[in-house]
Amino acid sequence: MLDESLKSQLAAYLERLQQPIRLEASLDESDAARELEALLRDIATLSDKVEYVRTDDDARKPSFGIVRAGTDIDVRFAGIPLGHEFTSLVLALLWVGGHPPKIEDDVAHQVRELEGEFRFETYMSLSCQSCPDTVQALSLMSVLNPNIKHVAIDGALHQAEVEARGIMSVPTIFLNGEQFDQGRLTVEQILAKLDTGAASRAAESIAKKDAFDVLVVGGGPAGAAAAIYAARKGIRTGVAAERFGGQVLDTMAIENFVSMSYTEGPKLATALEQHVRDYEVDVMNLQRASKLHPAGADGLITVDLENGASLKAKSVIVTTGARWRQMGVPGEEQYRNRGVAYCPHCDGPLFKGKRVAVIGGGNSGVEAAIDLAGLVAHVTLIEFDSKLRADDVLQRKLRSLPNVDVITNGQTTEVLGDGAKVTGLVVKDRASNESRTIELEGVFVQIGLLPNTEWLKGSIELTPRGEVVIDDRGATSVPGVFAAGDATTVPYKQIVIAMGAGATAALSAFEHLIRSSAPAEQAQAA
């Protein structure tokens, strides 16, 4: 099942096992079950601390548990965790086998202190780059606290279960039989939902912090670069981020990042956060800004957070990035994650054999249509303009596919549904003003980005599109406030450009601090 290269890598990891583990399989007569058994047997041959047994005691087949021998500590997978989930498998093997996870001590303590019975089920797909973070977070929690149980379920393999529960987006998480959440989750985010006092404790802790020299608001590539460049100047630096990595976390393949021929968004996001933490930077995750106040009499800029706390700083760098733009038509929000989706890599496998539409004819939209065409029965690509805007090479590939139709001059005016899921779209021909209904089961929206700057309205100059107006040094209309990345007027929204802009903003902020402190120092000297 595993090639020799993967076996060699996995064998090296399994040398870190401190306690014996059992791979307990529940199998049926399917091809997938035979593949899973071959995988588990391969793993068992790589370490004398790993034993494979077939128990067939789980109703879900094929599935398996990784069990610490002689304990009730286990992690379960209903599927074959390869693809994006191979890392989840490796980490589960190590954690159940006693290798300590990388987690902050206070977070681990909070997990261990949770009381009650928590039975989590995560529906994922092997092509989903968002799913591993959620799977790994819940697997880790189940190892730290025996009251927490978790199974990761491959939705493509257990299609009947997905249909019965009406799951149309991954990851989807159930807790004790009821839907808990959807989307990428970290341990901290899960704890915030389970431990109702966590948010207030975090707010109290933040309120006690001294003023920063530089406060970076946002944790994407621009924010990470800004934090690193500021910290290297030896000044007090803080980062307040809703989720570290930002939009990069939702990016599949990255092939234009200079010095790397290929990487993936989650991998790059992890590297960004680790690089920032190599310095003395106060990283405050799960924090969303709600208001910016220019410097007052004390010379400090204030950033209010949604949890009620406030942070003060001598200078601020805004790097809050952007999010997927929505169509803004009736039915879109009602059927979000019930047929309306924004990530074809994550949710595409759930629409196998069905009819879908892709909204948007740029590179993202055409790439999505190409990818989906290999999974679904039929793809209809709808572009508002009179022609597609994607690169020619992508357009040629798209038009060569037999199960793809392209509609130009098409305006989506409504998403239709039966109350539970999407059933179709209403599309108006912009040339004739005639509307027609397209019957389908899924809609993938790929129409660009919207800057996350609503919290800055009334405080700072924004363009009509909501972008922060900056000059060539990253300065905004408010003294001491700088900005970088996709939230700004920078003309090209690219990772490498955001990083450079973040570095520019940090150097400009440092220069601002030097200039603004010079008069006071000269007066004291006199």
Side-chain angles (χ1 to χ4, degrees):
M1 181 66 185
L2 295 175
D3 62 32
E4 292 305 315
S5 175
L6 276 179
K7 284 184 180 179
S8 177
Q9 294 177 44
L10 188 53
Y13 282 121
L14 294 180
E15 290 178 2
R16 304 177 189 179
L17 295 179
Q18 299 176 14
Q19 300 184 47
I21 60 177
R22 287 162 54 97
L23 305 178
E24 300 182 351
S26 294
L27 307 174
D28 52 22
E29 301 304 315
S30 66
D31 290 341
R34 284 187 282 274
E35 290 181 25
L36 176 58
E37 184 171 37
L39 171 64
L40 299 180
R41 287 188 181 278
D42 279 352
I43 295 172
T45 65
L46 300 177
S47 172
D48 58 5
K49 285 189 170 66
V50 182
E51 177 189 7
Y52 167 73
V53 295
R54 179 169 173 174
T55 60
D56 290 340
D57 58 356
D58 194 317
R60 285 192 183 97
K61 294 180 175 65
S63 68
F64 71 100
I66 305 171
V67 183
R68 182 179 297 174
T71 75
D72 59 354
I73 294 174
D74 72 331
V75 173
R76 298 200 67 83
F77 292 89
I80 307 170
L82 297 177
H84 285 295
E85 292 298 341
F86 184 68
T87 300
S88 301
L89 170 62
V90 173
L91 290 174
L93 290 166
L94 294 177
W95 293 336
V96 175
H99 184 73
K102 291 182 179 179
I103 184 172
E104 299 291 334
D105 289 343
D106 58 336
V107 176
H109 176 74
Q110 195 177 350
V111 172
R112 293 189 180 100
E113 292 298 306
L114 284 174
E115 295 181 353
E117 294 293 328
F118 305 93
R119 298 192 174 276
F120 286 99
E121 301 164 292
T122 300
Y123 290 87
M124 50 81 173
S125 70
L126 299 183
S127 60
C128 168
Q129 74 270 25
S130 299
C131 295
D133 282 355
T134 302
V135 170
Q136 291 163 26
L138 287 164
S139 295
L140 188 154
M141 293 175 70
S142 70
V143 171
L144 293 176
N145 186 331
N147 294 325
I148 300 173
K149 299 298 180 185
H150 176 243
V151 56
I153 306 160
D154 182 355
L157 197 58
H158 294 270
Q159 196 94 32
E161 199 170 325
V162 166
E163 294 281 352
R165 281 185 151 172
I167 295 166
M168 305 188 77
S169 176
V170 291
T172 293
I173 307 98
F174 282 75
L175 170 58
N176 298 335
E178 301 292 330
Q179 187 166 318
F180 175 73
D181 209 333
Q182 289 180 311
R184 184 193 306 272
L185 292 175
T186 63
V187 173
E188 292 86 351
Q189 288 172 312
I190 296 166
L191 284 171
K193 291 176 68 69
L194 297 177
D195 183 355
T196 55
S200 60
R201 291 196 300 273
E204 290 175 8
S205 176
I206 287 173
K208 296 175 183 177
K209 293 182 183 291
D210 294 331
F212 293 97
D213 291 315
V214 173
L215 174 64
V216 180
V217 184
I228 290 167
Y229 268 73
R232 286 176 62 85
K233 292 295 185 181
I235 57 181
R236 179 168 159 73
T237 305
V239 176
E242 186 174 356
R243 58 170 190 162
F244 214 101
Q247 192 77 9
V248 167
L249 287 167
D250 303 322
T251 304
M252 182 66 173
I254 300 172
E255 298 176 319
N256 59 356
F257 188 75
V258 181
S259 82
M260 289 185 191
S261 58
Y262 178 85
T263 188
E264 293 175 353
K267 183 177 180 180
L268 179 58
T270 299
L272 289 174
E273 184 169 6
Q274 184 55 56
H275 196 175
V276 170
R277 290 184 183 275
D278 286 344
Y279 297 92
E280 292 185 8
V281 176
D282 189 344
V283 178
M284 296 160 280
N285 266 322
L286 306 184
Q287 303 303 323
R288 178 183 289 186
S290 60
K291 186 70 176 176
L292 182 142
H293 303 276
D298 58 0
L300 298 176
I301 301 161
T302 301
V303 173
D304 295 337
L305 304 176
E306 283 196 352
N307 64 10
S310 295
L311 291 166
K312 290 183 177 293
K314 297 176 183 176
S315 64
V316 168
I317 302 175
V318 175
T319 63
T320 44
R323 62 187 183 276
W324 290 116
R325 185 183 297 274
Q326 295 181 275
M327 296 182 291
V329 301
E332 179 180 19
E333 192 59 36
Q334 179 183 356
Y335 292 104
R336 183 183 178 94
N337 295 326
R338 292 192 288 171
V340 176
Y342 300 85
C343 179
H345 301 293
C346 301
D347 300 331
L350 300 178
F351 292 84
K352 185 177 180 180
K354 298 180 179 180
R355 301 161 299 177
V356 304
V358 173
I359 313 300
N363 283 346
S364 296
V366 172
E367 286 174 352
I370 293 170
D371 289 342
L372 288 166
L375 293 169
V376 305
H378 188 269
V379 179
T380 302
L381 185 142
I382 302 169
E383 164 58 33
F384 185 84
D385 204 350
S386 59
K387 60 183 179 180
L388 301 184
R389 293 167 285 109
D391 295 341
D392 286 343
V393 64
L394 293 174
Q395 292 193 43
R396 287 195 297 271
K397 174 63 176 177
L398 180 75
R399 297 185 188 280
S400 72
L401 300 173
N403 62 335
V404 176
D405 287 335
V406 175
I407 297 175
T408 55
N409 263 333
Q411 180 180 357
T412 302
T413 58
E414 186 177 2
V415 177
L416 305 175
D418 60 8
K421 60 184 183 300
V422 167
T423 60
L425 280 180
V426 178
V427 179
K428 183 177 75 172
D429 186 313
R430 295 177 56 240
S432 66
N433 280 327
E434 294 180 358
S435 294
R436 63 163 163 157
T437 297
I438 302 175
E439 295 183 354
L440 43 73
E441 290 76 39
V443 182
F444 290 84
V445 183
Q446 302 281 290
I447 55 175
L449 301 173
L450 191 67
N452 297 316
T453 56
E454 289 84 357
W455 65 286
L456 293 169
K457 288 180 179 178
S459 301
I460 204 166
E461 184 183 357
L462 304 175
T463 68
R465 294 181 58 190
E467 296 173 325
V468 180
V469 177
I470 59 172
D471 64 14
D472 58 358
R473 303 173 75 86
T476 73
S477 61
V478 176
V481 178
F482 302 84
D486 289 1
T488 73
T489 50
V490 64
Y492 304 109
K493 315 302 185 186
Q494 298 289 315
I495 294 171
V496 69
I497 292 174
M499 287 182 173
T504 297
L507 295 173
S508 297
F510 180 67
E511 184 178 86
H512 166 79
L513 292 174
I514 293 174
R515 291 179 180 276
S516 60
S517 63
E521 292 172 358
Q522 291 170 2
Q524 289 175 2

